[in-house]
Amino acid sequence: MRFRHPDGTTVHLAYCTNVHPAETLDGVLAQLRDHCEPVRRRLGRDRLGIGLWLARDAAHALVTDSSALRGLRTALDRRGLEVVTLNGFPYEGFGAEEVKYRVYRPDWADPERLEHTTALARVLAGLLPDDVTEGTISTLPLAWRTAYGEDRADKARAALVTLAERLDALAELTGRSVRVGLEPEPGCVIETTADAIAPLTALAHERVGVCVDTCHLATSFENPHTALDALAAARVPVVKAQLSAALHAEGLHLPEVRRALAAFDEPRFLHQTRTAAAIGLRGTDDLGEALETDALPETAPWRAHFHVPLHAAPAAPLTSTLPVLKSALTRLVGGPHPLTRHLEVETYTWQALPPDLRPRGRAQLADGIAAELTLARDLLTELGLKELP
């Protein structure tokens, strides 16, 4: 979906396909048929943007076979779909029964991460619509915080320098500019937008910046305007933004609140949990740890890294951080010029929701994704953006 900003630029809205992951190119092609095109039809659109997640094997197949890449581009066009952004955070196995810490491997100290991201950039340059010259990729915020000593930090810094050089070369070769955004996430080396400023100002390259995920922003209790103003002051580009909402709970001393939260403690994904206590931000690596120990005080609200559907906040006594998303969006695209032109709805946890909230089958999932995109579209038009055909 495309929107015209009051300043005349085009803002793209997509949804991320990591909600129905596939490891192979055949699986990606099936996604387009079984999920993405049905969402587009529900929205009544001739064209829908999708943020593709390409696992290692799928990316390798595309970057080593030009006919396969042309075939994917043809399939996108035939189904009324377009790609301007990729999710390069998960490397493989995002559809496994247990993902948890695996999603952070390989990290930016490992050669595989650089090679995979380079492949994604090359693929994206070939997938961009004819009238679009800039693509974006979101990626791991360096590494999970543990086992990240100075040696691995040096390797990660060197890898980002090489990445920047390769992105420059790709732009010169293809005329397409691909930018990569490190995505701050609780528990990682870069947990907050503030953590991203030092390494990215040291790199000082226009094609490497930040991907702002509004669920992560909220989970870390960051003020969106403060965070985005600090990035702007440091001249760190917001490459893309992922529109998502975290789980919010108050009154943790009440049994019914803890029971409601426990329903979201599931075995597949890591749900980092934070609270802004009087002594500062405190947290646990997972929701179960927060509920089963006294690591977090009960006197302040908790937020958990659980991407809940944008249009359907959890039932009381829980809620979502949708207000944080709205506040961030106001700063991202509500000003005289957009801070980013690529927005991506990223709710990948539909099948990890409590059983009574999960979609039953493809049709209900498509309904839910379409409802999220409708909400995002309405927020953009309320900010003065005009939806384009």
Side-chain angles (χ1 to χ4, degrees), residues 295-314:
L296 303 184
E298 299 178 336
T299 53
W302 291 7
R303 288 177 179 173
H305 173 218
F306 195 118
H307 290 223
V308 295
L310 302 186
H311 68 292

Side-chain angles (χ1 to χ4, degrees), residues 101 104 107 140-149 185-191 270 272 274 283-286 289:
Y101 294 95
Y104 307 104
D107 64 36
L140 180 76
L142 297 184
W144 186 252
R145 69 183 186 280
T146 57
Y148 189 75
E185 176 166 315
C188 291
V189 173
I190 297 178
E191 172 155 340
L270 203 62
Q272 303 94 311
R274 300 288 185 266
T284 60
D285 282 358
D286 214 346
E289 180 186 353

Side-chain angles (χ1 to χ4, degrees), residues 1-68:
M1 300 169 75
R2 298 187 184 192
F3 298 80
R4 181 75 68 209
H5 190 274
D7 75 347
T9 58
T10 300
V11 173
H12 294 263
L13 173 66
Y15 90 89
C16 187
T17 64
N18 62 354
V19 61
H20 19 250
E23 299 292 316
T24 66
L25 178 55
D26 285 344
V28 171
L29 293 169
Q31 286 178 352
L32 307 185
R33 179 193 67 226
D34 297 339
H35 300 288
C36 303
E37 186 176 5
V39 171
R40 178 183 64 77
R41 293 186 181 281
R42 279 163 171 76
L43 291 166
R45 303 286 305 174
D46 293 332
R47 175 174 54 188
L48 175 67
I50 57 171
L52 273 182
W53 173 62
L54 297 172
R56 177 196 62 179
D57 289 349
H60 180 75
L62 290 166
V63 82
T64 57
D65 184 348
S66 59
S67 65

Side-chain angles (χ1 to χ4, degrees), residues 223-301:
N223 179 288
H225 290 264
T226 301
L228 293 169
D229 286 348
L231 291 175
R235 298 187 177 181
V236 173
V238 180
V239 169
K240 65 184 278 190
Q242 289 175 324
L243 307 184
S244 52
L247 196 59
H248 181 96
E250 300 185 24
L252 277 305
H253 62 289
L254 299 172
E256 59 268 29
V257 174
R258 301 183 79 88
R259 282 196 300 270
L261 269 180
F264 288 83
D265 177 28
E266 54 84 37
R268 186 172 175 186
F269 298 112
L270 203 62
H271 301 296
Q272 303 94 311
T273 304
R274 300 288 185 266
T275 185
I279 60 172
L281 197 66
R282 294 178 60 181
T284 60
D285 282 358
D286 214 346
L287 178 57
E289 180 186 353
L291 290 168
E292 295 162 11
T293 70
D294 59 359
L296 303 184
E298 299 178 336
T299 53

Side-chain angles (χ1 to χ4, degrees), residues 19 35 45 61 78 85 97 125 132 167 189 201 223 238 288 340 366:
V19 61
H35 300 288
R45 303 286 305 174
R78 186 173 67 250
T85 190
E97 291 185 4
V132 175
L167 295 176
V189 173
T201 52
N223 179 288
V238 180
T340 183

